[in-house]
Amino acid sequence: VPQEPGAGYEFDNKIVGGVVPREYMSAIQAGAREAVETGGPAGYPVVDVTVTAFDGSYHDVDSSELAFKIASSMAVKSGLPRAKPVLLEPIMKFEVTMPSQFTGEIIGDLNSRRARIERIDTQGDTTVVGCLIPLGETFGIATALRSLSQGRVTHTMEFSRYEQVPAVIAEQLVKSS
């Protein structure tokens, strides 16, 4: 079951009636946790989800901790696609300070990196551009900005939040993995 963004992973034990002995519950939890850590699209971890154990069975000879762990992991991995998970990417707050004469080129570069310009402040001959940009698009950005501004640009970057990856890019990531 999906949870609110930032809520994290939760395991909910709804098994009643003793169909699975209590000593196997930690193995079921471990299998579920292992599955959400690697079982998402393209092998990425799954976040903000509740895994619920609601039924099971026990056999005196064939049951073991390992069997319950594997069964739990397999159940979560088979159920994840039906939950329609989405890929998330880190979004950064990015601010560039530059001589105003380079504003057009810098904004063009930022737009090509899927940045969303939030503000442009100009004071005298200096312009500050504030935007949100996916972290994956920032690799090599310092070199590019210096090149576009003859080395006269400064920038800051800090984490803002996670957002859903656009469908076209998500498809490419899943295919390439």
Side-chain angles (χ1 to χ4, degrees):
V1 178
Q3 293 197 78
E4 292 297 315
Y9 166 78
E10 183 178 309
F11 181 84
D12 188 14
N13 179 9
K14 299 263 186 195
I15 296 177
V16 293
V19 293
V20 175
R22 286 201 171 284
E23 63 260 20
Y24 294 119
M25 195 50 58
S26 63
I28 293 171
Q29 289 177 4
R33 178 172 295 282
E34 183 178 291
V36 298
E37 288 174 355
T38 61
Y44 291 107
V46 177
V47 296
D48 305 330
V49 66
T50 298
V51 173
T52 303
F54 58 87
D55 198 6
S57 64
Y58 169 78
H59 187 274
D60 288 334
V61 176
D62 295 330
S63 291
S64 68
E65 281 195 28
L66 181 60
F68 277 100
K69 181 178 179 183
I70 291 170
S72 173
S73 179
M74 289 173 62
V76 170
K77 285 184 179 183
S78 72
L80 279 173
R82 287 180 271 162
K84 297 185 173 104
V86 296
L87 285 176
L88 300 177
E89 64 184 342
I91 302 297
M92 311 304 285
K93 285 184 196 174
F94 196 80
E95 186 175 276
V96 184
T97 304
M98 73 205 92
S100 296
Q101 68 194 58
F102 302 112
T103 304
E105 292 86 358
I106 299 292
I107 288 177
D109 185 75
L110 292 171
N111 285 334
S112 75
R113 296 170 185 272
R114 297 190 293 134
R116 292 187 310 265
I117 307 298
E118 293 190 311
R119 64 183 175 78
I120 301 172
D121 300 322
T122 302
Q123 287 187 340
D125 198 29
T126 302
T127 300
V128 178
V129 176
C131 64
L132 294 173
I133 186 168
L135 178 62
E137 300 288 346
T138 64
F139 298 107
I141 198 167
T143 303
L145 294 177
R146 278 194 306 270
S147 176
L148 290 170
S149 67
Q150 300 170 0
R152 298 170 59 197
V153 67
T154 61
H155 70 278
T156 61
M157 182 170 62
E158 66 181 76
F159 175 77
S160 176
R161 62 181 174 267
Y162 287 98
E163 289 182 1
Q164 185 173 338
V165 175
V168 173
I169 295 170
E171 280 180 31
Q172 291 171 353
L173 289 171
V174 171
K175 283 181 185 175
S176 67
S177 62

